[in-house]
Amino acid sequence: MTNTSLLYIEDDLEIGDWVCRNLQERGYGVTWLTSGERALEEASSNQLVILDVMLPGLDGFTVGQRLKKQYPLLPILMLSARTSIDDKLQGLQFADDYLTKPFHPDELIARIEVLLRRTGSPSPEPLKIKHLLFHEKENRIVNQDTGEEIILTGKQFNIFNYLLRHLGQIMTKEQIYEAVWGDTYLDGDKTLMVHIRHLREKLEHDPAVPEIIETIRGIGYRVRP
């Protein structure tokens, strides 16, 4: 069980009820609003905000910007059926993460836990992926089977951390390359593939049959929650 309180802002009653039940089953306390009118008032007593984009009255972008201005350390997770890169970039100007609908409740929980660890809110347990324990605050990865720390190069760590921040999502080669190298990906470039191979050699039980970093043929990679 957790003592963490979440503010959830969603006007769709069916989705809202489903999300609330899943969060409460995991032990979270949830304050559910169907509009952003009382968001600033309620945010002060919560440790994370889950905010839908499409809301009656003030839209989620406006509500989120006001929340971040008043509570700069309060993590905000945006939810939206909008998948365009422009919408994501607009949301990520103030939000700490952006999750597109539809989503699996396990992915929502995983992203919440990552954000809470990052901001120091009560969620002390490391992120567990198969046999790995990822201590995000300390930038440490431990093999739970052996108790040994896995040492990654800077690029390897940045690739793995990027995939973990988008846990469960398929990330294209272009997205990963541009996020880690800060440059445009050129079709046919093998740099990322080579780094993924070396990363698997360190992380996987059997690099030839990867269980952690999944290849999505012709698209990119994914780490499953």
Side-chain angles (χ1 to χ4, degrees), residues 6-12 15-20 22-23 30 32-33 48-55 59-61 64 75-83 87-88 90-92 94-105 107-112 115 169:
L6 309 177
L7 175 60
Y8 177 40
I9 307 174
E10 166 68 72
D11 68 314
D12 187 303
I15 294 174
D17 182 64
W18 174 72
V19 169
C20 276
N22 274 284
L23 292 172
V30 183
W32 176 19
L33 303 178
L48 181 140
V49 177
I50 305 168
L51 175 62
D52 187 55
V53 170
M54 301 297 289
L55 295 172
D59 64 65
F61 294 131
I76 298 174
L77 170 59
M78 296 293 294
L79 301 179
S80 178
R82 298 181 181 182
T83 58
D87 286 322
K88 289 184 179 181
Q90 183 179 354
L92 290 172
F94 62 87
D96 300 274
D97 200 358
Y98 191 110
L99 180 59
T100 54
K101 299 176 179 178
F103 53 84
H104 192 281
E107 182 180 0
L108 176 62
I109 296 297
R111 287 171 179 253
I112 288 170
L115 289 176
Q169 285 185 290

Side-chain angles (χ1 to χ4, degrees), residues 22-93:
N22 274 284
L23 292 172
Q24 289 166 348
E25 285 171 3
R26 309 293 181 103
Y28 289 99
V30 183
T31 299
W32 176 19
L33 303 178
T34 54
S35 76
E37 289 179 9
R38 291 176 27 240
L40 290 177
E41 174 188 342
E42 295 289 347
S44 62
S45 58
N46 289 277
Q47 289 143 305
L48 181 140
V49 177
I50 305 168
L51 175 62
D52 187 55
V53 170
M54 301 297 289
L55 295 172
L58 295 176
D59 64 65
F61 294 131
T62 303
V63 174
Q65 288 166 347
R66 292 183 179 182
L67 284 168
K68 209 64 175 178
K69 183 176 180 180
Q70 185 157 333
Y71 306 102
L73 299 181
L74 183 66
I76 298 174
L77 170 59
M78 296 293 294
L79 301 179
S80 178
R82 298 181 181 182
T83 58
S84 77
I85 188 65
D86 288 341
D87 286 322
K88 289 184 179 181
L89 290 175
Q90 183 179 354
L92 290 172
Q93 286 179 0

